[in-house]
Amino acid sequence: MTTSWMEQFEAWHAAAGVDLKLRPAAAPAKIAKAEAKMGLAFPAGYRAWLLRHDGQADPEGSAELAPGCNWLTSAEGSAAQWADEEEWAQEGEEDDSQCDGRVKNQVFSRKRIPIAGTKYWDQDKTYLDLDPGPRGVAGQVIALVTECDFEVLGDSFEAFMERYVALLEAGALKVEGGQLVPTGPAWTGHPAEWLAKQLAKAPSEKKAAPKKAAPKKAAPKKKAAPKKKAAPKKAAPKKAAPQEGAAPKKAAPKKAAPKKAAPKKAAPKKAAPKKKAAPKKAAPKKAAPKR
């Protein structure tokens, strides 16, 4: 069975001896009330987290959610802080953005849900950004690192946490004085800036290499018995059905093709009787003269 990032997150901190002081689950009615106050819905991944833990019980008295992100608040705390910031909210311009176009260049927005900060919300904060810049994603997690500059930590709360858990399990952070610090060189800027760079390198989850299926041997094909040719059927001439109400048409009489006369045999000609030649009279012989 695959372990969820929530269980991995809790297990890593328990093994490291870090107490996050996570509250029990928020009641669905409490979540709905907070959403109604803001006029915004918590993204599905964060709602699932609230149904497991409704923030951290002791801000500044326990470890932060992640370096530079401060402490998670409750659903009710998110709605209360949103109401405090709403009066300073301004509309962001699409063509005025930061973080490579992913975040609108505005400090306060009515479409951002604050989810983590200090006890009095007087320093850096972490938000769920529902109105991103032109290249951002609605629901992305952003952290305020200066008075007006942000860092994007993930396209969603669950994507951020999956990568963060991968960093923890890879040994990128260690515990010092109850807080997490880099295992390697210490950060020189804002911790969330360091975190954003590390998260960009971390895999969101391990994917198993696809198994190659063994090639299937094709069964030998049976030779089909030769089909007997059916004798062609003579189609019976179709009689056209008479149309309703139409007088039956009389078939025009067919003209018989003219018969060729048989050649007449010529009657044998009778030979005309030959005329008998008249007998020739012999000329009288003259008597020879006497000597």
Side-chain angles (χ1 to χ4, degrees):
M1 181 177 177
T2 304
T3 305
S4 73
W5 63 262
M6 297 183 192
E7 294 169 330
Q8 291 172 299
F9 178 75
E10 294 165 0
W12 188 93
H13 285 83
V18 178
D19 187 6
L20 294 168
K21 297 186 179 179
L22 295 168
R23 290 192 182 101
K30 187 177 180 181
I31 295 173
K33 184 178 179 180
E35 291 177 325
K37 184 174 183 178
M38 297 183 292
L40 302 170
F42 289 110
Y46 191 70
R47 172 187 283 272
W49 173 256
L50 289 173
L51 290 170
R52 188 179 182 94
H53 296 295
D54 191 19
Q56 291 175 265
D58 186 12
E60 301 182 16
S62 58
E64 294 178 89
L65 166 68
C69 296
N70 290 319
W71 295 267
L72 280 172
T73 189
S74 62
E76 185 180 4
S78 288
Q81 182 59 25
W82 178 90
D84 286 347
E85 294 182 7
E86 197 256 345
E87 60 179 301
W88 294 298
Q90 71 268 24
E91 296 299 323
E93 299 294 333
E94 289 290 336
D95 57 353
D96 185 13
S97 58
Q98 55 179 287
C99 299
D100 296 324
R102 298 170 73 185
V103 181
K104 287 185 178 179
N105 206 14
Q106 57 192 116
V107 179
F108 300 106
S109 169
R110 293 181 180 86
K111 294 183 179 179
R112 286 181 188 158
I113 301 175
I115 61 170
T118 62
K119 187 175 183 178
Y120 300 104
W121 296 91
D122 55 352
Q123 294 180 28
D124 303 332
K125 308 175 187 73
T126 303
Y127 295 88
L128 297 174
D129 185 9
L130 305 184
D131 186 27
R135 297 182 63 187
V137 179
Q140 63 189 5
V141 180
I142 59 175
L144 186 66
V145 296
T146 69
E147 291 181 353
C148 57
D149 297 311
F150 291 89
E151 287 287 345
V152 179
L153 302 180
D155 288 345
S156 64
F157 185 72
E158 59 269 33
F160 159 52
M161 293 300 289
E162 283 175 359
R163 288 179 181 270
Y164 181 50
V165 167
L167 273 183
L168 294 175
E169 294 182 342
L173 292 160
K174 62 182 180 180
V175 182
E176 277 189 7
Q179 297 295 334
L180 299 181
V181 296
T183 303
W187 42 60
T188 55
H190 195 285
E193 292 176 327
W194 175 91
L195 182 60
K197 290 177 182 177
Q198 299 303 312
L199 291 172
K201 301 175 187 176
S204 59
E205 58 181 338
K206 294 179 181 179
K207 292 183 179 179
K211 293 182 180 179
K212 291 184 180 180
K216 292 182 179 180
K217 290 184 180 180
K221 293 182 179 179
K222 293 182 179 179
K223 289 185 179 180
K227 293 182 180 179
K228 292 182 180 179
K229 290 184 179 179
K233 293 181 180 179
K234 290 184 180 180
K238 293 182 179 179
K239 293 182 180 180
Q243 294 180 353
E244 292 184 7
K249 291 183 181 180
K250 292 182 178 180
K254 293 183 180 179
K255 290 183 180 180
K259 293 182 180 179
K260 290 183 180 180
K264 293 181 179 181
K265 290 183 181 180
K269 290 182 182 180
K270 292 182 179 180
K274 292 182 179 180
K275 290 180 179 182
K276 291 182 179 180
K280 291 181 180 181
K281 290 180 179 182
K285 291 181 181 180
K286 289 180 179 183
K290 292 182 179 181
R291 288 178 183 179

mmCIF file of all heavy atoms in Angstrom, residues 113-156:
data_model
loop_
_atom_site.group_PDB
_atom_site.id
_atom_site.type_symbol
_atom_site.label_atom_id
_atom_site.label_comp_id
_atom_site.label_asym_id
_atom_site.label_seq_id
_atom_site.Cartn_x
_atom_site.Cartn_y
_atom_site.Cartn_z
ATOM 1 N N ILE A 113 -5.457 33.059 -0.206
ATOM 2 C CA ILE A 113 -5.834 32.576 1.124
ATOM 3 C C ILE A 113 -4.570 32.427 1.965
ATOM 4 O O ILE A 113 -3.697 31.615 1.642
ATOM 5 C CB ILE A 113 -6.551 31.219 1.036
ATOM 6 C CG1 ILE A 113 -7.809 31.326 0.164
ATOM 7 C CG2 ILE A 113 -6.913 30.708 2.425
ATOM 8 C CD1 ILE A 113 -8.518 29.986 -0.067
ATOM 9 N N PRO A 114 -4.446 33.210 3.058
ATOM 10 C CA PRO A 114 -3.274 33.049 3.934
ATOM 11 C C PRO A 114 -3.374 31.747 4.729
ATOM 12 O O PRO A 114 -4.401 31.481 5.354
ATOM 13 C CB PRO A 114 -3.351 34.278 4.850
ATOM 14 C CG PRO A 114 -4.773 34.724 4.814
ATOM 15 C CD PRO A 114 -5.337 34.301 3.506
ATOM 16 N N ILE A 115 -2.320 30.919 4.686
ATOM 17 C CA ILE A 115 -2.378 29.633 5.399
ATOM 18 C C ILE A 115 -1.283 29.501 6.461
ATOM 19 O O ILE A 115 -1.371 28.619 7.324
ATOM 20 C CB ILE A 115 -2.293 28.443 4.424
ATOM 21 C CG1 ILE A 115 -0.981 28.456 3.636
ATOM 22 C CG2 ILE A 115 -3.495 28.418 3.493
ATOM 23 C CD1 ILE A 115 -0.727 27.184 2.821
ATOM 24 N N ALA A 116 -0.269 30.346 6.407
ATOM 25 C CA ALA A 116 0.813 30.242 7.403
ATOM 26 C C ALA A 116 1.440 31.610 7.626
ATOM 27 O O ALA A 116 1.552 32.419 6.708
ATOM 28 C CB ALA A 116 1.874 29.242 6.939
ATOM 29 N N GLY A 117 1.835 31.852 8.887
ATOM 30 C CA GLY A 117 2.469 33.118 9.242
ATOM 31 C C GLY A 117 2.922 33.071 10.692
ATOM 32 O O GLY A 117 2.922 32.012 11.323
ATOM 33 N N THR A 118 3.296 34.231 11.213
ATOM 34 C CA THR A 118 3.697 34.312 12.620
ATOM 35 C C THR A 118 2.449 34.446 13.491
ATOM 36 O O THR A 118 1.319 34.516 12.987
ATOM 37 C CB THR A 118 4.608 35.522 12.845
ATOM 38 O OG1 THR A 118 3.873 36.720 12.531
ATOM 39 C CG2 THR A 118 5.856 35.453 11.975
ATOM 40 N N LYS A 119 2.677 34.506 14.779
ATOM 41 C CA LYS A 119 1.559 34.589 15.720
ATOM 42 C C LYS A 119 0.699 35.821 15.464
ATOM 43 O O LYS A 119 -0.530 35.769 15.577
ATOM 44 C CB LYS A 119 2.099 34.615 17.156
ATOM 45 C CG LYS A 119 1.032 34.534 18.228
ATOM 46 C CD LYS A 119 1.677 34.440 19.609
ATOM 47 C CE LYS A 119 0.633 34.294 20.694
ATOM 48 N NZ LYS A 119 1.244 34.158 22.035
ATOM 49 N N TYR A 120 1.329 36.936 15.125
ATOM 50 C CA TYR A 120 0.601 38.191 14.899
ATOM 51 C C TYR A 120 0.565 38.574 13.412
ATOM 52 O O TYR A 120 0.183 39.692 13.082
ATOM 53 C CB TYR A 120 1.232 39.317 15.730
ATOM 54 C CG TYR A 120 1.206 39.037 17.213
ATOM 55 C CD1 TYR A 120 2.362 38.628 17.879
ATOM 56 C CD2 TYR A 120 0.022 39.157 17.939
ATOM 57 C CE1 TYR A 120 2.333 38.353 19.234
ATOM 58 C CE2 TYR A 120 -0.007 38.875 19.307
ATOM 59 C CZ TYR A 120 1.144 38.479 19.940
ATOM 60 O OH TYR A 120 1.127 38.191 21.301
ATOM 61 N N TRP A 121 0.956 37.677 12.562
ATOM 62 C CA TRP A 121 0.950 37.911 11.113
ATOM 63 C C TRP A 121 1.735 39.178 10.741
ATOM 64 O O TRP A 121 1.341 39.930 9.857
ATOM 65 C CB TRP A 121 -0.472 38.000 10.576
ATOM 66 C CG TRP A 121 -1.263 36.731 10.721
ATOM 67 C CD1 TRP A 121 -2.058 36.392 11.778
ATOM 68 C CD2 TRP A 121 -1.312 35.645 9.795
ATOM 69 N NE1 TRP A 121 -2.617 35.151 11.571
ATOM 70 C CE2 TRP A 121 -2.173 34.663 10.357
ATOM 71 C CE3 TRP A 121 -0.738 35.401 8.553
ATOM 72 C CZ2 TRP A 121 -2.462 33.468 9.717
ATOM 73 C CZ3 TRP A 121 -1.028 34.204 7.921
ATOM 74 C CH2 TRP A 121 -1.878 33.249 8.500
ATOM 75 N N ASP A 122 2.836 39.414 11.458
ATOM 76 C CA ASP A 122 3.573 40.647 11.228
ATOM 77 C C ASP A 122 4.839 40.446 10.392
ATOM 78 O O ASP A 122 5.611 41.381 10.217
ATOM 79 C CB ASP A 122 3.945 41.291 12.568
ATOM 80 C CG ASP A 122 4.713 40.343 13.481
ATOM 81 O OD1 ASP A 122 4.809 39.148 13.129
ATOM 82 O OD2 ASP A 122 5.207 40.781 14.529
ATOM 83 N N GLN A 123 5.057 39.232 9.892
ATOM 84 C CA GLN A 123 6.238 39.002 9.067
ATOM 85 C C GLN A 123 5.831 38.274 7.789
ATOM 86 O O GLN A 123 4.735 38.485 7.284
ATOM 87 C CB GLN A 123 7.284 38.204 9.877
ATOM 88 C CG GLN A 123 7.845 38.980 11.070
ATOM 89 C CD GLN A 123 8.864 38.173 11.838
ATOM 90 O OE1 GLN A 123 9.533 37.305 11.285
ATOM 91 N NE2 GLN A 123 8.991 38.445 13.135
ATOM 92 N N ASP A 124 6.741 37.454 7.289
ATOM 93 C CA ASP A 124 6.464 36.766 6.033
ATOM 94 C C ASP A 124 5.299 35.794 6.185
ATOM 95 O O ASP A 124 5.077 35.215 7.242
ATOM 96 C CB ASP A 124 7.717 36.016 5.568
ATOM 97 C CG ASP A 124 8.903 36.957 5.424
ATOM 98 O OD1 ASP A 124 8.672 38.152 5.160
ATOM 99 O OD2 ASP A 124 10.046 36.490 5.574
ATOM 100 N N LYS A 125 4.589 35.588 5.063
ATOM 101 C CA LYS A 125 3.390 34.738 5.069
ATOM 102 C C LYS A 125 3.437 33.776 3.889
ATOM 103 O O LYS A 125 4.149 34.001 2.916
ATOM 104 C CB LYS A 125 2.131 35.600 4.973
ATOM 105 C CG LYS A 125 2.033 36.722 5.995
ATOM 106 C CD LYS A 125 0.814 37.582 5.722
ATOM 107 C CE LYS A 125 0.788 38.808 6.621
ATOM 108 N NZ LYS A 125 1.797 39.816 6.235
ATOM 109 N N THR A 126 2.618 32.744 3.997
ATOM 110 C CA THR A 126 2.469 31.778 2.910
ATOM 111 C C THR A 126 1.000 31.755 2.508
ATOM 112 O O THR A 126 0.108 31.762 3.354
ATOM 113 C CB THR A 126 2.917 30.367 3.357
ATOM 114 O OG1 THR A 126 4.272 30.441 3.805
ATOM 115 C CG2 THR A 126 2.824 29.371 2.212
ATOM 116 N N TYR A 127 0.767 31.747 1.178
ATOM 117 C CA TYR A 127 -0.600 31.843 0.648
ATOM 118 C C TYR A 127 -0.902 30.722 -0.344
ATOM 119 O O TYR A 127 0.008 30.173 -0.979
ATOM 120 C CB TYR A 127 -0.797 33.163 -0.112
ATOM 121 C CG TYR A 127 -0.696 34.424 0.697
ATOM 122 C CD1 TYR A 127 0.538 35.046 0.890
ATOM 123 C CD2 TYR A 127 -1.827 35.035 1.237
ATOM 124 C CE1 TYR A 127 0.644 36.224 1.610
ATOM 125 C CE2 TYR A 127 -1.735 36.229 1.956
ATOM 126 C CZ TYR A 127 -0.504 36.813 2.138
ATOM 127 O OH TYR A 127 -0.402 37.985 2.851
ATOM 128 N N LEU A 128 -2.200 30.460 -0.489
ATOM 129 C CA LEU A 128 -2.716 29.712 -1.634
ATOM 130 C C LEU A 128 -3.214 30.766 -2.616
ATOM 131 O O LEU A 128 -4.143 31.523 -2.304
ATOM 132 C CB LEU A 128 -3.861 28.781 -1.221
ATOM 133 C CG LEU A 128 -3.511 27.680 -0.222
ATOM 134 C CD1 LEU A 128 -4.772 26.940 0.212
ATOM 135 C CD2 LEU A 128 -2.500 26.708 -0.817
ATOM 136 N N ASP A 129 -2.587 30.843 -3.776
ATOM 137 C CA ASP A 129 -2.864 31.902 -4.747
ATOM 138 C C ASP A 129 -3.890 31.424 -5.777
ATOM 139 O O ASP A 129 -3.583 30.593 -6.630
ATOM 140 C CB ASP A 129 -1.545 32.286 -5.438
ATOM 141 C CG ASP A 129 -1.697 33.459 -6.390
ATOM 142 O OD1 ASP A 129 -2.777 34.092 -6.386
ATOM 143 O OD2 ASP A 129 -0.733 33.741 -7.138
ATOM 144 N N LEU A 130 -5.113 31.953 -5.663
ATOM 145 C CA LEU A 130 -6.182 31.560 -6.586
ATOM 146 C C LEU A 130 -6.297 32.493 -7.783
ATOM 147 O O LEU A 130 -7.134 32.270 -8.667
ATOM 148 C CB LEU A 130 -7.519 31.513 -5.839
ATOM 149 C CG LEU A 130 -7.561 30.630 -4.583
ATOM 150 C CD1 LEU A 130 -8.969 30.606 -3.999
ATOM 151 C CD2 LEU A 130 -7.082 29.224 -4.879
ATOM 152 N N ASP A 131 -5.470 33.522 -7.829
ATOM 153 C CA ASP A 131 -5.483 34.474 -8.958
ATOM 154 C C ASP A 131 -4.040 34.701 -9.417
ATOM 155 O O ASP A 131 -3.458 35.755 -9.185
ATOM 156 C CB ASP A 131 -6.131 35.797 -8.523
ATOM 157 C CG ASP A 131 -6.297 36.770 -9.685
ATOM 158 O OD1 ASP A 131 -6.401 36.301 -10.839
ATOM 159 O OD2 ASP A 131 -6.302 37.988 -9.442
ATOM 160 N N PRO A 132 -3.447 33.688 -10.071
ATOM 161 C CA PRO A 132 -2.029 33.760 -10.431
ATOM 162 C C PRO A 132 -1.764 34.682 -11.617
ATOM 163 O O PRO A 132 -2.693 35.201 -12.250
ATOM 164 C CB PRO A 132 -1.707 32.311 -10.795
ATOM 165 C CG PRO A 132 -2.992 31.795 -11.362
ATOM 166 C CD PRO A 132 -4.076 32.440 -10.541
ATOM 167 N N GLY A 133 -0.478 34.854 -11.919
ATOM 168 C CA GLY A 133 -0.080 35.594 -13.105
ATOM 169 C C GLY A 133 -0.350 34.771 -14.352
ATOM 170 O O GLY A 133 -0.809 33.630 -14.276
ATOM 171 N N PRO A 134 -0.070 35.333 -15.530
ATOM 172 C CA PRO A 134 -0.391 34.649 -16.784
ATOM 173 C C PRO A 134 0.281 33.286 -16.961
ATOM 174 O O PRO A 134 -0.223 32.433 -17.681
ATOM 175 C CB PRO A 134 0.071 35.639 -17.865
ATOM 176 C CG PRO A 134 1.006 36.577 -17.184
ATOM 177 C CD PRO A 134 0.544 36.656 -15.775
ATOM 178 N N ARG A 135 1.402 33.054 -16.279
ATOM 179 C CA ARG A 135 2.097 31.770 -16.410
ATOM 180 C C ARG A 135 2.007 30.935 -15.130
ATOM 181 O O ARG A 135 2.678 29.921 -15.004
ATOM 182 C CB ARG A 135 3.567 32.012 -16.779
ATOM 183 C CG ARG A 135 3.753 32.701 -18.134
ATOM 184 C CD ARG A 135 5.210 32.890 -18.487
ATOM 185 N NE ARG A 135 5.895 31.617 -18.627
ATOM 186 C CZ ARG A 135 7.206 31.486 -18.806
ATOM 187 N NH1 ARG A 135 7.969 32.573 -18.850
ATOM 188 N NH2 ARG A 135 7.762 30.298 -18.936
ATOM 189 N N GLY A 136 1.176 31.369 -14.203
ATOM 190 C CA GLY A 136 1.010 30.639 -12.953
ATOM 191 C C GLY A 136 -0.144 29.649 -13.006
ATOM 192 O O GLY A 136 -0.806 29.496 -14.032
ATOM 193 N N VAL A 137 -0.395 28.993 -11.871
ATOM 194 C CA VAL A 137 -1.453 27.985 -11.765
ATOM 195 C C VAL A 137 -2.343 28.341 -10.581
ATOM 196 O O VAL A 137 -1.842 28.601 -9.483
ATOM 197 C CB VAL A 137 -0.851 26.572 -11.556
ATOM 198 C CG1 VAL A 137 -1.953 25.533 -11.419
ATOM 199 C CG2 VAL A 137 0.085 26.214 -12.705
ATOM 200 N N ALA A 138 -3.642 28.372 -10.780
ATOM 201 C CA ALA A 138 -4.564 28.665 -9.683
ATOM 202 C C ALA A 138 -4.412 27.613 -8.590
ATOM 203 O O ALA A 138 -4.446 26.415 -8.866
ATOM 204 C CB ALA A 138 -5.998 28.695 -10.201
ATOM 205 N N GLY A 139 -4.216 28.077 -7.338
ATOM 206 C CA GLY A 139 -4.019 27.164 -6.217
ATOM 207 C C GLY A 139 -2.556 26.984 -5.852
ATOM 208 O O GLY A 139 -2.235 26.247 -4.913
ATOM 209 N N GLN A 140 -1.666 27.661 -6.584
ATOM 210 C CA GLN A 140 -0.233 27.534 -6.307
ATOM 211 C C GLN A 140 0.113 28.083 -4.923
ATOM 212 O O GLN A 140 -0.578 28.951 -4.394
ATOM 213 C CB GLN A 140 0.587 28.250 -7.382
ATOM 214 C CG GLN A 140 0.358 29.750 -7.461
ATOM 215 C CD GLN A 140 1.023 30.391 -8.683
ATOM 216 O OE1 GLN A 140 1.588 29.730 -9.541
ATOM 217 N NE2 GLN A 140 0.947 31.718 -8.765
ATOM 218 N N VAL A 141 1.191 27.557 -4.337
ATOM 219 C CA VAL A 141 1.647 27.995 -3.016
ATOM 220 C C VAL A 141 2.752 29.021 -3.214
ATOM 221 O O VAL A 141 3.738 28.757 -3.912
ATOM 222 C CB VAL A 141 2.187 26.802 -2.198
ATOM 223 C CG1 VAL A 141 2.664 27.276 -0.829
ATOM 224 C CG2 VAL A 141 1.102 25.737 -2.039
ATOM 225 N N ILE A 142 2.564 30.210 -2.624
ATOM 226 C CA ILE A 142 3.559 31.269 -2.744
ATOM 227 C C ILE A 142 3.945 31.769 -1.349
ATOM 228 O O ILE A 142 3.127 31.788 -0.431
ATOM 229 C CB ILE A 142 3.062 32.445 -3.617
ATOM 230 C CG1 ILE A 142 1.775 33.061 -3.038
ATOM 231 C CG2 ILE A 142 2.815 31.976 -5.044
ATOM 232 C CD1 ILE A 142 1.294 34.308 -3.783
ATOM 233 N N ALA A 143 5.221 32.141 -1.194
ATOM 234 C CA ALA A 143 5.715 32.641 0.094
ATOM 235 C C ALA A 143 6.245 34.059 -0.087
ATOM 236 O O ALA A 143 7.006 34.331 -1.029
ATOM 237 C CB ALA A 143 6.826 31.730 0.612
ATOM 238 N N LEU A 144 5.829 34.961 0.785
ATOM 239 C CA LEU A 144 6.315 36.342 0.765
ATOM 240 C C LEU A 144 7.695 36.369 1.425
ATOM 241 O O LEU A 144 7.840 35.955 2.576
ATOM 242 C CB LEU A 144 5.337 37.237 1.531
ATOM 243 C CG LEU A 144 5.605 38.746 1.498
ATOM 244 C CD1 LEU A 144 5.431 39.303 0.086
ATOM 245 C CD2 LEU A 144 4.654 39.471 2.466
ATOM 246 N N VAL A 145 8.728 36.845 0.686
ATOM 247 C CA VAL A 145 10.103 36.813 1.207
ATOM 248 C C VAL A 145 10.676 38.198 1.475
ATOM 249 O O VAL A 145 11.706 38.330 2.149
ATOM 250 C CB VAL A 145 11.029 36.032 0.247
ATOM 251 C CG1 VAL A 145 10.594 34.570 0.166
ATOM 252 C CG2 VAL A 145 11.043 36.647 -1.151
ATOM 253 N N THR A 146 10.027 39.241 0.946
ATOM 254 C CA THR A 146 10.380 40.630 1.280
ATOM 255 C C THR A 146 9.070 41.378 1.451
ATOM 256 O O THR A 146 8.003 40.756 1.521
ATOM 257 C CB THR A 146 11.231 41.293 0.165
ATOM 258 O OG1 THR A 146 10.400 41.492 -1.002
ATOM 259 C CG2 THR A 146 12.443 40.469 -0.208
ATOM 260 N N GLU A 147 9.122 42.692 1.455
ATOM 261 C CA GLU A 147 7.881 43.453 1.609
ATOM 262 C C GLU A 147 6.940 43.268 0.420
ATOM 263 O O GLU A 147 5.732 43.473 0.551
ATOM 264 C CB GLU A 147 8.208 44.941 1.773
ATOM 265 C CG GLU A 147 8.883 45.274 3.100
ATOM 266 C CD GLU A 147 9.175 46.759 3.249
ATOM 267 O OE1 GLU A 147 8.977 47.505 2.257
ATOM 268 O OE2 GLU A 147 9.578 47.179 4.348
ATOM 269 N N CYS A 148 7.489 42.914 -0.737
ATOM 270 C CA CYS A 148 6.625 42.809 -1.922
ATOM 271 C C CYS A 148 7.042 41.706 -2.894
ATOM 272 O O CYS A 148 6.494 41.624 -3.994
ATOM 273 C CB CYS A 148 6.587 44.145 -2.663
ATOM 274 S SG CYS A 148 8.211 44.750 -3.151
ATOM 275 N N ASP A 149 7.993 40.859 -2.519
ATOM 276 C CA ASP A 149 8.469 39.813 -3.420
ATOM 277 C C ASP A 149 8.056 38.426 -2.929
ATOM 278 O O ASP A 149 8.084 38.147 -1.723
ATOM 279 C CB ASP A 149 9.989 39.866 -3.555
ATOM 280 C CG ASP A 149 10.466 41.165 -4.186
ATOM 281 O OD1 ASP A 149 9.908 41.549 -5.234
ATOM 282 O OD2 ASP A 149 11.380 41.802 -3.621
ATOM 283 N N PHE A 150 7.718 37.567 -3.901
ATOM 284 C CA PHE A 150 7.255 36.214 -3.582
ATOM 285 C C PHE A 150 8.167 35.153 -4.200
ATOM 286 O O PHE A 150 8.934 35.423 -5.118
ATOM 287 C CB PHE A 150 5.828 35.999 -4.112
ATOM 288 C CG PHE A 150 4.769 36.789 -3.396
ATOM 289 C CD1 PHE A 150 4.427 38.069 -3.813
ATOM 290 C CD2 PHE A 150 4.102 36.251 -2.302
ATOM 291 C CE1 PHE A 150 3.448 38.806 -3.157
ATOM 292 C CE2 PHE A 150 3.115 36.970 -1.640
ATOM 293 C CZ PHE A 150 2.794 38.249 -2.075
ATOM 294 N N GLU A 151 8.039 33.942 -3.690
ATOM 295 C CA GLU A 151 8.643 32.757 -4.274
ATOM 296 C C GLU A 151 7.531 31.718 -4.447
ATOM 297 O O GLU A 151 6.680 31.561 -3.573
ATOM 298 C CB GLU A 151 9.742 32.166 -3.378
ATOM 299 C CG GLU A 151 11.021 32.969 -3.342
ATOM 300 C CD GLU A 151 11.837 32.870 -4.626
ATOM 301 O OE1 GLU A 151 11.573 31.968 -5.450
ATOM 302 O OE2 GLU A 151 12.725 33.721 -4.807
ATOM 303 N N VAL A 152 7.540 31.027 -5.590
ATOM 304 C CA VAL A 152 6.560 29.955 -5.833
ATOM 305 C C VAL A 152 7.140 28.646 -5.315
ATOM 306 O O VAL A 152 8.236 28.249 -5.706
ATOM 307 C CB VAL A 152 6.229 29.829 -7.334
ATOM 308 C CG1 VAL A 152 5.227 28.696 -7.560
ATOM 309 C CG2 VAL A 152 5.667 31.144 -7.872
ATOM 310 N N LEU A 153 6.395 27.982 -4.432
ATOM 311 C CA LEU A 153 6.875 26.725 -3.828
ATOM 312 C C LEU A 153 6.252 25.478 -4.448
ATOM 313 O O LEU A 153 6.763 24.372 -4.242
ATOM 314 C CB LEU A 153 6.597 26.748 -2.318
ATOM 315 C CG LEU A 153 7.221 27.917 -1.546
ATOM 316 C CD1 LEU A 153 6.866 27.818 -0.070
ATOM 317 C CD2 LEU A 153 8.732 27.952 -1.731
ATOM 318 N N GLY A 154 5.170 25.631 -5.181
ATOM 319 C CA GLY A 154 4.533 24.468 -5.807
ATOM 320 C C GLY A 154 3.265 24.870 -6.530
ATOM 321 O O GLY A 154 2.651 25.889 -6.201
ATOM 322 N N ASP A 155 2.870 24.066 -7.513
ATOM 323 C CA ASP A 155 1.652 24.350 -8.270
ATOM 324 C C ASP A 155 0.385 24.110 -7.457
ATOM 325 O O ASP A 155 -0.694 24.553 -7.846
ATOM 326 C CB ASP A 155 1.607 23.484 -9.537
ATOM 327 C CG ASP A 155 2.625 23.935 -10.574
ATOM 328 O OD1 ASP A 155 3.150 25.058 -10.458
ATOM 329 O OD2 ASP A 155 2.893 23.150 -11.512
ATOM 330 N N SER A 156 0.510 23.387 -6.357
ATOM 331 C CA SER A 156 -0.615 23.139 -5.452
ATOM 332 C C SER A 156 -0.029 22.785 -4.091
ATOM 333 O O SER A 156 1.186 22.560 -3.968
ATOM 334 C CB SER A 156 -1.483 21.981 -5.970
ATOM 335 O OG SER A 156 -0.730 20.779 -5.982
#
